[in-house]
Amino acid sequence: MALSPTPAQRRVVEAADPGTGRLRGTEAQLAGLVKRGLAFRHPRPPHDHFLTPAGHRIREAGGEPEIPVASAAASQDVSPAPASREVFAARVGGEPSVAGAAGDARLREVRGAWQGLLELRRMTHPDGSTDRPCAWERSHLVRAAALALEADGHRPAGPDGDDGGDGDGGGYRVRATPQPEAVAVHEPDGAALRACAETLERAGWQVGEHTEPRSRARYLLASPRKV
């Protein structure tokens, strides 16, 4: 679960440049924000610090971190994390129903998170491009792919208990795979599955359609594009 920033760290976040997310603070404060996933150190000199999407959301809403800070393994767990573990996380499909999971407020949150992620791409890619995933996405594959899908209006699957967990109820499910830097996207409706592929391709992912050996169900295998 995400670590909440200290009052001093929160003041640094709130004082960030509204356009670029550039931060000013002591080394300890900046290092603490990086540890919490709210900031990143730019790889090029002068190695300034900038807000991550989670940091941008704190600055805008004055709330808790909205993109979970966890290890890559935890973020890519096959089982969806309970919604109560963080204030905001893109829906991977199959989560328990929670208040505020739909509607205009949710749409604004998702779109805000997506815009923050595009800014993170721009700031971390040497060429300033936003057309391919950044390092944060590569270490949070499931959440990153789910955010791209939800931000483009795709419907996540409902709680697993509603349809036995086999996906027949409709909606996408993003899950980790044994393959490095690859996630699987399941969607029982063929047209919706192809639409998911188009969304991920536009978001900078390489996508291929495959067939489950046993069930013969079609699914997507998606990896972040590097160039």
Side-chain angles (χ1 to χ4, degrees), residues 155-171:
R155 180 173 65 90
D160 284 331
D162 289 355
D163 57 17
D166 58 5
D168 291 341

Side-chain angles (χ1 to χ4, degrees), residues 34 37 41 47 59 84 104 119-120 178 184 221 226:
V34 171
R41 183 173 181 268
H47 302 297
R59 183 185 177 281
S84 60
D104 292 342
E119 178 65 11
L120 183 57
L221 198 62
K226 295 183 179 180

Side-chain angles (χ1 to χ4, degrees), residues 79-133:
S79 301
S84 60
R85 287 178 59 187
E86 60 265 331
V87 175
F88 172 85
R91 295 193 62 195
V92 303
E95 298 94 336
S97 297
V98 293
D104 292 342
R106 175 66 182 184
L107 184 60
R108 286 194 296 271
E109 288 182 348
V110 173
R111 288 179 174 173
W114 177 248
Q115 290 303 315
L117 190 54
L118 292 180
E119 178 65 11
L120 183 57
R121 288 182 178 187
R122 186 181 73 82
M123 295 306 301
T124 55
H125 286 145
D127 58 359
S129 65
T130 61
D131 62 351
R132 65 186 186 277

Side-chain angles (χ1 to χ4, degrees), residues 28-91:
Q29 289 170 336
L30 296 174
L33 290 173
V34 171
K35 180 179 179 180
R36 286 162 170 76
L38 304 179
F40 68 94
R41 183 173 181 268
H42 200 284
R44 291 180 294 172
H47 302 297
D48 286 330
H49 288 72
F50 297 85
L51 292 175
T52 63
H56 276 287
R57 296 298 297 173
I58 285 184
R59 183 185 177 281
E60 293 169 4
E64 293 299 316
E66 297 191 6
I67 291 181
V69 180
S71 67
S75 299
Q76 298 165 30
D77 194 339
V78 172
S79 301
S84 60
R85 287 178 59 187
E86 60 265 331
V87 175
F88 172 85
R91 295 193 62 195

Side-chain angles (χ1 to χ4, degrees), residues 146-190:
L147 178 56
L149 292 173
E150 191 177 0
D152 203 35
H154 294 278
R155 180 173 65 90
D160 284 331
D162 289 355
D163 57 17
D166 58 5
D168 291 341
Y172 69 78
R173 281 177 168 78
V174 184
R175 298 291 184 265
T177 73
Q179 301 187 40
E181 289 206 350
V183 297
V185 179
H186 304 272
E187 163 61 77
D189 181 87

